Structures are given as structure tokens and as C-alpha cells.
């Protein structure tokens, strides 16, 4: 299924920079009668590579859409705040730079924070990814 759905979130530094990556890979569509996408959040830096299992609901997708609206207005956002899974925070630092923090509160208590220099149009790219996932879920 990952070939069909790909990544709900894909944030990456441009070639020739630090090579930081934060992505939320959709592994499996919800089973009939369920409302959860089976996903994996991946964080890669020069010194850290980690992945966290994440279950994303339709409410989480709505919250991600709201978070993208906040980011479009250059605001700090926090997503997946329920305490049941990782928490993702994104903060505009300066033009063309965002700070990302991933906190695995329910399990390992690990927090990874990194700067990222996303390509122009990155918010529109994330919106397109969200719509692709929603279309796949609705059939």
C-alpha cells in the first residue's frame, strides 16, 4: 500500500545541505469499520535516525489540515497532542527555516529537534499529500 499512498508528510532539506528528513509514511489503509491509518514517522539527521509507529485518525487528518493553515500564516503548530502517540511541533524560525520537534511521550520519552530548510511551496505540497490520503481512504 505504501506505493499507492506514499507519505502524508514529507519535509526534507534541499540537496547539498544537512540532509534532514521528517516524513510520515502511510503503511496501510484502515480496515473496514476502522478509522486509523497505520503510519510510521521517520526522522533522519546527520547523527540520528529513528522511526516511530503512529496511528492517524480522520480527526488527526482534520487537525493536520488546520496545522497547515497555521503554518501558512507563519504560526507555530503542534499536531497529535492527544498523548496516545508522538507529538509533532513545527515552528517558523526565519524565512525559509522551520524548527521541528518530535516527542515520543507515550513510549520512549525521546525528543528529537532539528532545523529544516524546506523547498518553496512546501505547505502546498503537504496539502496535496493530505488530499491524496483522504481520496485513498474514501475509495
Amino acid at each position: 500500500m505504501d506505493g499507492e499512498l506514499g507519505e502524508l508528510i514529507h519535509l526534507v532539506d534541499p540537496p547539498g545541505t544537512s540532509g534532514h528528513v521528517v516524513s510520515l509514511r502511510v503503511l496501510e489503509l484502515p480496515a473496514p469499520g476502522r478509522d486509523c491509518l497505520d503510519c510510521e514517522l521517520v526522522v533522519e539527521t546527520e547523527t540520528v535516525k529513528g522511526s516511530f509507529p503512529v496511528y492517524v485518525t480522520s480527526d488527526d487528518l482534520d487537525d493536520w489540515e488546520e496545522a497547515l493553515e497555521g503554518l501558512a500564516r507563519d504560526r507555530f503548530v503542534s499536531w497529535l497532542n492527544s498523548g496516545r502517540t508522538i507529538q509533532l511541533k513545527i515552528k517558523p524560525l526565519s524565512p525559509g527555516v522551520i524548527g521541528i520537534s518530535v516527542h515520543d511521550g507515550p513510549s520512549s520519552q525521546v525528543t528529537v529537534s532539528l532545523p529544516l530548510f524546506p523547498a518553496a511551496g512546501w505547505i502546498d505540497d503537504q496539502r496535496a499529500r493530505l488530499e491524496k490520503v483522504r481520496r485513498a481512504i474514501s475509495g
Side-chain angles (χ1 to χ4, degrees):
M1 188 54 58
D2 53 46
E4 242 180 87
L5 291 178
E7 297 168 319
L8 172 61
I9 298 173
H10 184 76
L11 300 169
V12 60
D13 280 332
T17 61
S18 64
H20 295 165
V21 176
V22 175
S23 64
L24 185 66
R25 298 176 182 158
V26 178
L27 304 176
E28 190 175 324
L29 286 173
R34 290 196 59 223
D35 184 25
C36 285
L37 287 169
D38 183 15
C39 300
E40 172 186 46
L41 185 88
V42 177
V43 178
E44 295 181 21
T45 72
E46 304 90 343
T47 56
V48 174
K49 288 187 180 185
S51 65
F52 307 89
V54 179
Y55 296 97
V56 176
T57 67
S58 61
D59 287 341
D60 294 331
L61 295 177
D62 293 342
D63 292 344
W64 179 235
E65 183 175 22
E66 287 180 32
L68 290 171
E69 291 303 318
L71 289 166
R73 291 188 303 273
D74 210 29
R75 294 194 176 140
F76 165 84
V77 300
S78 182
W79 183 56
L80 297 175
N81 300 318
S82 68
R84 67 175 161 74
T85 188
I86 58 100
Q87 181 181 35
L88 177 68
K89 296 179 181 180
I90 304 174
K91 179 179 182 179
L93 298 176
S94 61
V97 184
I98 58 175
I100 298 179
S101 177
V102 177
H103 177 66
D104 181 26
S107 182
S108 67
Q109 297 295 310
V110 167
T111 300
V112 178
S113 298
L114 57 129
L116 206 132
F117 301 83
W122 69 274
I123 294 173
D124 289 336
D125 178 54
Q126 302 316 301
R127 287 177 175 144
R129 292 171 183 279
L130 173 59
E131 286 310 310
K132 179 179 178 183
V133 169
R134 283 184 165 155
R135 279 193 308 271
I137 291 171
S138 64

PDB file of all heavy atoms in Angstrom, residues 2 4-5 8 14 20 26 34-35 50-51 66 68-69 79 85 97 100 102 109 115-116 120-121 123 125 133 137:
ATOM      1  N   ASP A   2       2.109   1.172   0.503  1.00  0.00           N
ATOM      2  CA  ASP A   2       2.919   2.379   0.586  1.00  0.00           C
ATOM      3  C   ASP A   2       3.204   2.978  -0.783  1.00  0.00           C
ATOM      4  O   ASP A   2       3.350   4.186  -0.900  1.00  0.00           O
ATOM      5  CB  ASP A   2       4.217   2.129   1.352  1.00  0.00           C
ATOM      6  CG  ASP A   2       5.017   0.953   0.824  1.00  0.00           C
ATOM      7  OD1 ASP A   2       5.195   0.845  -0.393  1.00  0.00           O
ATOM      8  OD2 ASP A   2       5.465   0.153   1.651  1.00  0.00           O
ATOM      9  N   GLU A   4       1.084   3.232  -3.160  1.00  0.00           N
ATOM     10  CA  GLU A   4      -0.105   3.988  -3.519  1.00  0.00           C
ATOM     11  C   GLU A   4      -0.233   5.268  -2.704  1.00  0.00           C
ATOM     12  O   GLU A   4      -0.502   6.328  -3.225  1.00  0.00           O
ATOM     13  CB  GLU A   4      -1.343   3.126  -3.247  1.00  0.00           C
ATOM     14  CG  GLU A   4      -2.145   2.844  -4.491  1.00  0.00           C
ATOM     15  CD  GLU A   4      -3.337   1.998  -4.129  1.00  0.00           C
ATOM     16  OE1 GLU A   4      -4.377   2.564  -3.768  1.00  0.00           O
ATOM     17  OE2 GLU A   4      -3.199   0.768  -4.195  1.00  0.00           O
ATOM     18  N   LEU A   5      -0.047   5.156  -1.399  1.00  0.00           N
ATOM     19  CA  LEU A   5      -0.273   6.292  -0.520  1.00  0.00           C
ATOM     20  C   LEU A   5       0.968   7.134  -0.288  1.00  0.00           C
ATOM     21  O   LEU A   5       0.874   8.332  -0.132  1.00  0.00           O
ATOM     22  CB  LEU A   5      -0.806   5.814   0.829  1.00  0.00           C
ATOM     23  CG  LEU A   5      -2.210   5.239   0.787  1.00  0.00           C
ATOM     24  CD1 LEU A   5      -2.607   4.747   2.157  1.00  0.00           C
ATOM     25  CD2 LEU A   5      -3.195   6.280   0.305  1.00  0.00           C
ATOM     26  N   LEU A   8       2.214  11.021   3.990  1.00  0.00           N
ATOM     27  CA  LEU A   8       1.308  12.104   4.337  1.00  0.00           C
ATOM     28  C   LEU A   8       2.113  13.379   4.574  1.00  0.00           C
ATOM     29  O   LEU A   8       1.691  14.467   4.210  1.00  0.00           O
ATOM     30  CB  LEU A   8       0.509  11.738   5.589  1.00  0.00           C
ATOM     31  CG  LEU A   8      -0.363  12.834   6.196  1.00  0.00           C
ATOM     32  CD1 LEU A   8      -1.431  13.299   5.213  1.00  0.00           C
ATOM     33  CD2 LEU A   8      -0.992  12.352   7.495  1.00  0.00           C
ATOM     34  N   PRO A  14      17.040  20.710   1.172  1.00  0.00           N
ATOM     35  CA  PRO A  14      17.449  20.602  -0.229  1.00  0.00           C
ATOM     36  C   PRO A  14      18.805  19.902  -0.355  1.00  0.00           C
ATOM     37  O   PRO A  14      19.587  19.871   0.604  1.00  0.00           O
ATOM     38  CB  PRO A  14      17.524  22.052  -0.710  1.00  0.00           C
ATOM     39  CG  PRO A  14      17.634  22.871   0.526  1.00  0.00           C
ATOM     40  CD  PRO A  14      17.004  22.086   1.639  1.00  0.00           C
ATOM     41  N   HIS A  20      18.473  16.758   6.486  1.00  0.00           N
ATOM     42  CA  HIS A  20      17.444  16.377   7.450  1.00  0.00           C
ATOM     43  C   HIS A  20      16.161  15.977   6.736  1.00  0.00           C
ATOM     44  O   HIS A  20      15.785  16.573   5.738  1.00  0.00           O
ATOM     45  CB  HIS A  20      17.145  17.532   8.398  1.00  0.00           C
ATOM     46  CG  HIS A  20      18.296  17.903   9.275  1.00  0.00           C
ATOM     47  ND1 HIS A  20      18.338  19.075   9.970  1.00  0.00           N
ATOM     48  CD2 HIS A  20      19.446  17.266   9.573  1.00  0.00           C
ATOM     49  CE1 HIS A  20      19.453  19.151  10.666  1.00  0.00           C
ATOM     50  NE2 HIS A  20      20.153  18.062  10.427  1.00  0.00           N
ATOM     51  N   VAL A  26       2.588   6.404   5.154  1.00  0.00           N
ATOM     52  CA  VAL A  26       1.349   5.651   5.341  1.00  0.00           C
ATOM     53  C   VAL A  26       1.642   4.213   4.952  1.00  0.00           C
ATOM     54  O   VAL A  26       2.010   3.925   3.818  1.00  0.00           O
ATOM     55  CB  VAL A  26       0.199   6.239   4.494  1.00  0.00           C
ATOM     56  CG1 VAL A  26      -1.063   5.405   4.667  1.00  0.00           C
ATOM     57  CG2 VAL A  26      -0.052   7.694   4.864  1.00  0.00           C
ATOM     58  N   ARG A  34     -12.885   0.603  10.612  1.00  0.00           N
ATOM     59  CA  ARG A  34     -11.900   1.269  11.479  1.00  0.00           C
ATOM     60  C   ARG A  34     -11.608   2.646  10.927  1.00  0.00           C
ATOM     61  O   ARG A  34     -11.833   2.932   9.774  1.00  0.00           O
ATOM     62  CB  ARG A  34     -10.600   0.448  11.544  1.00  0.00           C
ATOM     63  CG  ARG A  34     -10.801  -0.844  12.315  1.00  0.00           C
ATOM     64  CD  ARG A  34      -9.510  -1.497  12.749  1.00  0.00           C
ATOM     65  NE  ARG A  34      -8.715  -0.624  13.602  1.00  0.00           N
ATOM     66  CZ  ARG A  34      -7.406  -0.482  13.475  1.00  0.00           C
ATOM     67  NH1 ARG A  34      -6.755  -1.132  12.544  1.00  0.00           N
ATOM     68  NH2 ARG A  34      -6.741   0.306  14.281  1.00  0.00           N
ATOM     69  N   ASP A  35     -11.023   3.470  11.793  1.00  0.00           N
ATOM     70  CA  ASP A  35     -10.760   4.866  11.427  1.00  0.00           C
ATOM     71  C   ASP A  35      -9.287   5.224  11.623  1.00  0.00           C
ATOM     72  O   ASP A  35      -8.964   6.361  11.882  1.00  0.00           O
ATOM     73  CB  ASP A  35     -11.661   5.777  12.285  1.00  0.00           C
ATOM     74  CG  ASP A  35     -11.538   7.236  11.909  1.00  0.00           C
ATOM     75  OD1 ASP A  35     -11.175   7.526  10.757  1.00  0.00           O
ATOM     76  OD2 ASP A  35     -11.782   8.086  12.776  1.00  0.00           O
ATOM     77  N   GLY A  50      15.634   7.612  13.286  1.00  0.00           N
ATOM     78  CA  GLY A  50      14.664   6.926  14.115  1.00  0.00           C
ATOM     79  C   GLY A  50      13.322   6.860  13.445  1.00  0.00           C
ATOM     80  O   GLY A  50      13.021   7.629  12.533  1.00  0.00           O
ATOM     81  N   SER A  51      12.518   5.922  13.906  1.00  0.00           N
ATOM     82  CA  SER A  51      11.160   5.815  13.403  1.00  0.00           C
ATOM     83  C   SER A  51      10.242   5.494  14.567  1.00  0.00           C
ATOM     84  O   SER A  51      10.646   4.872  15.553  1.00  0.00           O
ATOM     85  CB  SER A  51      11.048   4.757  12.309  1.00  0.00           C
ATOM     86  OG  SER A  51      11.319   3.481  12.832  1.00  0.00           O
ATOM     87  N   GLU A  66      -5.690  21.902   9.717  1.00  0.00           N
ATOM     88  CA  GLU A  66      -5.674  23.148  10.494  1.00  0.00           C
ATOM     89  C   GLU A  66      -4.239  23.592  10.787  1.00  0.00           C
ATOM     90  O   GLU A  66      -3.933  24.790  10.750  1.00  0.00           O
ATOM     91  CB  GLU A  66      -6.438  22.968  11.801  1.00  0.00           C
ATOM     92  CG  GLU A  66      -7.937  22.902  11.634  1.00  0.00           C
ATOM     93  CD  GLU A  66      -8.649  22.710  12.965  1.00  0.00           C
ATOM     94  OE1 GLU A  66      -8.151  23.195  14.002  1.00  0.00           O
ATOM     95  OE2 GLU A  66      -9.712  22.064  12.958  1.00  0.00           O
ATOM     96  N   LEU A  68      -1.629  23.047   8.957  1.00  0.00           N
ATOM     97  CA  LEU A  68      -1.073  23.602   7.722  1.00  0.00           C
ATOM     98  C   LEU A  68      -1.562  25.030   7.495  1.00  0.00           C
ATOM     99  O   LEU A  68      -0.800  25.876   7.015  1.00  0.00           O
ATOM    100  CB  LEU A  68      -1.409  22.707   6.524  1.00  0.00           C
ATOM    101  CG  LEU A  68      -0.691  21.359   6.506  1.00  0.00           C
ATOM    102  CD1 LEU A  68      -1.269  20.472   5.404  1.00  0.00           C
ATOM    103  CD2 LEU A  68       0.806  21.543   6.350  1.00  0.00           C
ATOM    104  N   GLU A  69      -2.808  25.306   7.869  1.00  0.00           N
ATOM    105  CA  GLU A  69      -3.328  26.672   7.765  1.00  0.00           C
ATOM    106  C   GLU A  69      -2.529  27.598   8.683  1.00  0.00           C
ATOM    107  O   GLU A  69      -2.199  28.727   8.306  1.00  0.00           O
ATOM    108  CB  GLU A  69      -4.819  26.723   8.099  1.00  0.00           C
ATOM    109  CG  GLU A  69      -5.708  26.052   7.073  1.00  0.00           C
ATOM    110  CD  GLU A  69      -5.541  26.615   5.680  1.00  0.00           C
ATOM    111  OE1 GLU A  69      -5.449  27.849   5.521  1.00  0.00           O
ATOM    112  OE2 GLU A  69      -5.486  25.815   4.729  1.00  0.00           O
ATOM    113  N   TRP A  79       0.920  19.179  16.531  1.00  0.00           N
ATOM    114  CA  TRP A  79      -0.025  18.206  15.966  1.00  0.00           C
ATOM    115  C   TRP A  79       0.121  16.878  16.686  1.00  0.00           C
ATOM    116  O   TRP A  79       1.214  16.501  17.101  1.00  0.00           O
ATOM    117  CB  TRP A  79       0.259  18.043  14.468  1.00  0.00           C
ATOM    118  CG  TRP A  79      -0.683  17.134  13.748  1.00  0.00           C
ATOM    119  CD1 TRP A  79      -2.045  17.233  13.698  1.00  0.00           C
ATOM    120  CD2 TRP A  79      -0.343  15.995  12.976  1.00  0.00           C
ATOM    121  NE1 TRP A  79      -2.573  16.222  12.927  1.00  0.00           N
ATOM    122  CE2 TRP A  79      -1.543  15.434  12.466  1.00  0.00           C
ATOM    123  CE3 TRP A  79       0.855  15.378  12.647  1.00  0.00           C
ATOM    124  CZ2 TRP A  79      -1.574  14.302  11.662  1.00  0.00           C
ATOM    125  CZ3 TRP A  79       0.829  14.251  11.840  1.00  0.00           C
ATOM    126  CH2 TRP A  79      -0.376  13.721  11.359  1.00  0.00           C
ATOM    127  N   THR A  85       0.194   9.051  21.071  1.00  0.00           N
ATOM    128  CA  THR A  85       1.233   8.783  20.076  1.00  0.00           C
ATOM    129  C   THR A  85       2.264   9.912  20.134  1.00  0.00           C
ATOM    130  O   THR A  85       2.233  10.726  21.047  1.00  0.00           O
ATOM    131  CB  THR A  85       0.594   8.639  18.673  1.00  0.00           C
ATOM    132  OG1 THR A  85       1.581   8.195  17.757  1.00  0.00           O
ATOM    133  CG2 THR A  85      -0.017   9.936  18.191  1.00  0.00           C
ATOM    134  N   VAL A  97      13.189  28.765   7.008  1.00  0.00           N
ATOM    135  CA  VAL A  97      13.695  27.830   8.014  1.00  0.00           C
ATOM    136  C   VAL A  97      12.581  27.511   9.009  1.00  0.00           C
ATOM    137  O   VAL A  97      11.924  28.413   9.513  1.00  0.00           O
ATOM    138  CB  VAL A  97      14.894  28.403   8.796  1.00  0.00           C
ATOM    139  CG1 VAL A  97      15.443  27.357   9.767  1.00  0.00           C
ATOM    140  CG2 VAL A  97      15.983  28.883   7.861  1.00  0.00           C
ATOM    141  N   ILE A 100      11.639  21.750  13.814  1.00  0.00           N
ATOM    142  CA  ILE A 100      10.735  20.615  14.001  1.00  0.00           C
ATOM    143  C   ILE A 100      11.160  19.874  15.258  1.00  0.00           C
ATOM    144  O   ILE A 100      12.354  19.632  15.479  1.00  0.00           O
ATOM    145  CB  ILE A 100      10.763  19.666  12.789  1.00  0.00           C
ATOM    146  CG1 ILE A 100      10.286  20.402  11.544  1.00  0.00           C
ATOM    147  CG2 ILE A 100       9.914  18.423  13.055  1.00  0.00           C
ATOM    148  CD1 ILE A 100      10.295  19.566  10.291  1.00  0.00           C
ATOM    149  N   VAL A 102       9.977  16.372  17.482  1.00  0.00           N
ATOM    150  CA  VAL A 102       9.172  15.157  17.585  1.00  0.00           C
ATOM    151  C   VAL A 102       9.394  14.599  18.981  1.00  0.00           C
ATOM    152  O   VAL A 102      10.537  14.382  19.396  1.00  0.00           O
ATOM    153  CB  VAL A 102       9.597  14.109  16.533  1.00  0.00           C
ATOM    154  CG1 VAL A 102       8.802  12.822  16.711  1.00  0.00           C
ATOM    155  CG2 VAL A 102       9.442  14.657  15.126  1.00  0.00           C
ATOM    156  N   GLN A 109       9.918   8.429  25.516  1.00  0.00           N
ATOM    157  CA  GLN A 109      10.215   9.753  26.065  1.00  0.00           C
ATOM    158  C   GLN A 109      11.320  10.481  25.291  1.00  0.00           C
ATOM    159  O   GLN A 109      11.850  11.486  25.749  1.00  0.00           O
ATOM    160  CB  GLN A 109      10.585   9.674  27.553  1.00  0.00           C
ATOM    161  CG  GLN A 109       9.465   9.162  28.440  1.00  0.00           C
ATOM    162  CD  GLN A 109       8.280  10.108  28.453  1.00  0.00           C
ATOM    163  OE1 GLN A 109       8.428  11.297  28.657  1.00  0.00           O
ATOM    164  NE2 GLN A 109       7.100   9.568  28.211  1.00  0.00           N
ATOM    165  N   PRO A 115      16.505  21.765  12.811  1.00  0.00           N
ATOM    166  CA  PRO A 115      16.101  22.792  11.856  1.00  0.00           C
ATOM    167  C   PRO A 115      15.939  22.156  10.490  1.00  0.00           C
ATOM    168  O   PRO A 115      16.568  21.139  10.185  1.00  0.00           O
ATOM    169  CB  PRO A 115      17.279  23.763  11.865  1.00  0.00           C
ATOM    170  CG  PRO A 115      18.450  22.890  12.153  1.00  0.00           C
ATOM    171  CD  PRO A 115      17.941  21.798  13.069  1.00  0.00           C
ATOM    172  N   LEU A 116      15.093  22.736   9.677  1.00  0.00           N
ATOM    173  CA  LEU A 116      14.878  22.216   8.337  1.00  0.00           C
ATOM    174  C   LEU A 116      14.652  23.386   7.390  1.00  0.00           C
ATOM    175  O   LEU A 116      14.039  24.375   7.764  1.00  0.00           O
ATOM    176  CB  LEU A 116      13.666  21.287   8.349  1.00  0.00           C
ATOM    177  CG  LEU A 116      13.676  20.220   7.271  1.00  0.00           C
ATOM    178  CD1 LEU A 116      13.364  18.861   7.863  1.00  0.00           C
ATOM    179  CD2 LEU A 116      12.658  20.546   6.232  1.00  0.00           C
ATOM    180  N   ALA A 120      10.604  25.905  -1.437  1.00  0.00           N
ATOM    181  CA  ALA A 120       9.480  26.815  -1.651  1.00  0.00           C
ATOM    182  C   ALA A 120       8.255  25.979  -2.024  1.00  0.00           C
ATOM    183  O   ALA A 120       8.359  24.982  -2.734  1.00  0.00           O
ATOM    184  CB  ALA A 120       9.810  27.811  -2.759  1.00  0.00           C
ATOM    185  N   GLY A 121       7.102  26.374  -1.526  1.00  0.00           N
ATOM    186  CA  GLY A 121       5.871  25.649  -1.827  1.00  0.00           C
ATOM    187  C   GLY A 121       5.647  24.424  -0.973  1.00  0.00           C
ATOM    188  O   GLY A 121       4.755  23.615  -1.262  1.00  0.00           O
ATOM    189  N   ILE A 123       4.295  23.968   1.925  1.00  0.00           N
ATOM    190  CA  ILE A 123       2.980  23.839   2.558  1.00  0.00           C
ATOM    191  C   ILE A 123       1.960  23.327   1.540  1.00  0.00           C
ATOM    192  O   ILE A 123       1.162  22.440   1.845  1.00  0.00           O
ATOM    193  CB  ILE A 123       2.535  25.170   3.192  1.00  0.00           C
ATOM    194  CG1 ILE A 123       3.473  25.517   4.364  1.00  0.00           C
ATOM    195  CG2 ILE A 123       1.082  25.081   3.668  1.00  0.00           C
ATOM    196  CD1 ILE A 123       3.248  26.881   4.974  1.00  0.00           C
ATOM    197  N   ASP A 125       2.630  21.462  -0.966  1.00  0.00           N
ATOM    198  CA  ASP A 125       2.964  20.051  -1.163  1.00  0.00           C
ATOM    199  C   ASP A 125       2.339  19.191  -0.067  1.00  0.00           C
ATOM    200  O   ASP A 125       1.781  18.122  -0.344  1.00  0.00           O
ATOM    201  CB  ASP A 125       4.486  19.863  -1.198  1.00  0.00           C
ATOM    202  CG  ASP A 125       4.875  18.414  -1.362  1.00  0.00           C
ATOM    203  OD1 ASP A 125       4.403  17.757  -2.318  1.00  0.00           O
ATOM    204  OD2 ASP A 125       5.669  17.910  -0.518  1.00  0.00           O
ATOM    205  N   VAL A 133      -4.177  11.265   0.488  1.00  0.00           N
ATOM    206  CA  VAL A 133      -4.511  10.263   1.507  1.00  0.00           C
ATOM    207  C   VAL A 133      -6.015  10.226   1.736  1.00  0.00           C
ATOM    208  O   VAL A 133      -6.608   9.151   1.814  1.00  0.00           O
ATOM    209  CB  VAL A 133      -3.745  10.551   2.821  1.00  0.00           C
ATOM    210  CG1 VAL A 133      -4.262   9.699   3.962  1.00  0.00           C
ATOM    211  CG2 VAL A 133      -2.246  10.315   2.617  1.00  0.00           C
ATOM    212  N   ILE A 137      -8.542   6.960   1.236  1.00  0.00           N
ATOM    213  CA  ILE A 137      -9.374   6.433   2.315  1.00  0.00           C
ATOM    214  C   ILE A 137     -10.837   6.348   1.881  1.00  0.00           C
ATOM    215  O   ILE A 137     -11.531   5.371   2.158  1.00  0.00           O
ATOM    216  CB  ILE A 137      -9.264   7.312   3.573  1.00  0.00           C
ATOM    217  CG1 ILE A 137      -7.885   7.174   4.182  1.00  0.00           C
ATOM    218  CG2 ILE A 137     -10.337   6.943   4.602  1.00  0.00           C
ATOM    219  CD1 ILE A 137      -7.606   8.155   5.296  1.00  0.00           C
TER     220      ILE A 137
END
